Amino acid sequence: IIETLSAEAIELQVQSYLLESGQRVDLARYVVENRDRRIFKLILPPQSNIQEVLVNKQPVRARAEGKQISIPIPKNRSSQVQVRYEVTRDFDQLNQYELSMPSSDLRTTNITWDIFFSEQRQLWSWDGELSEKSGSAIPMDSMNSFHSLGSQARFHYDLLSANRAPLKINLSL
């Protein structure tokens, strides 16, 4: 018996913007191949506030159910799901960041996480399950002036099973 998935995220690109104010804004973009599901479920990192949810570049109303958000997706097609959210954090250690990525109810492949920060900072160390990846990215978020964050680090992960604990990374800047 061969199992076929009713939906799968074939790509996930997350961009985290670490602002000098200490604020963090994330943009997560999933490419979802869907056969027969109506809802895509995400769990955002703790202390997150959703700013925008788009499906195929159109605003949609996501429904919060506790820590989980449900996003309507069209059946029988590939869709781009984009979620922008802000993460508040404690300011105990301004140079230390404990970041986590959203988790979803879909198997997810080809994961890239770009972390942007000020040119006045340098990535001193990091640890987590991801591997560092060469290359650079252009900020996906055109509504904000994140282009001023001139430094970045890029990480990669191959495959996440559905409903898995979120990927995390610790940074020292």
Side-chain angles (χ1 to χ4, degrees):
I1 295 176
I2 297 174
E3 180 184 356
T4 56
L5 300 172
S6 64
E8 177 180 22
I10 60 168
E11 182 181 350
L12 167 59
Q13 185 175 9
V14 176
Q15 290 190 343
S16 294
Y17 306 96
L18 308 179
L19 307 178
E20 283 298 305
S21 65
Q23 177 187 18
R24 172 181 152 205
V25 176
D26 283 8
L27 190 66
R29 183 170 55 198
Y30 291 82
V31 176
V32 177
E33 294 286 338
N34 184 28
R35 285 182 189 60
D36 61 6
R37 293 187 54 176
R38 295 176 191 257
I39 300 291
F40 172 47
K41 293 184 179 184
L42 286 179
I43 297 176
L44 297 178
Q47 299 177 299
S48 294
N49 297 312
I50 297 174
Q51 295 179 335
E52 180 180 54
V53 178
L54 303 174
V55 174
N56 298 322
K57 300 183 181 179
Q58 298 299 314
V60 297
R61 184 176 297 259
R63 192 174 69 234
E65 299 167 345
K67 294 186 210 176
Q68 187 169 267
I69 61 169
S70 295
I71 301 167
I73 56 174
K75 286 182 167 187
N76 299 314
R77 66 178 286 198
S78 177
S79 296
Q80 187 179 102
V81 177
Q82 185 168 299
V83 180
R84 182 185 313 128
Y85 56 93
E86 181 180 340
V87 182
T88 56
R89 71 182 204 112
D90 299 326
F91 292 98
D92 294 343
Q93 296 188 337
L94 284 176
N95 297 329
Q96 303 291 319
Y97 290 85
E98 294 178 13
L99 308 177
S100 63
M101 187 179 276
S103 59
S104 80
D105 66 342
L106 297 181
R107 176 185 148 164
T108 304
T109 58
N110 192 23
I111 300 140
T112 303
W113 195 352
D114 294 303
I115 301 169
F116 293 88
F117 48 93
S118 169
E119 289 180 347
Q120 284 90 38
R121 294 183 177 235
Q122 180 177 349
L123 178 61
W124 292 106
S125 66
W126 66 275
D127 68 78
E129 298 174 73
L130 296 100
S131 57
E132 198 164 11
K133 184 178 180 181
S134 62
S136 60
I138 296 170
M140 293 188 294
D141 192 327
S142 60
M143 292 181 65
N144 293 298
S145 57
F146 296 138
H147 295 275
S148 64
L149 300 174
S151 296
Q152 77 176 65
R154 175 170 264 200
F155 301 94
H156 181 77
Y157 200 80
D158 290 323
L159 171 69
L160 290 175
S161 57
N163 302 309
R164 180 197 185 276
L167 287 175
K168 296 183 180 202
I169 194 163
N170 298 313
L171 301 176
S172 294
L173 299 178

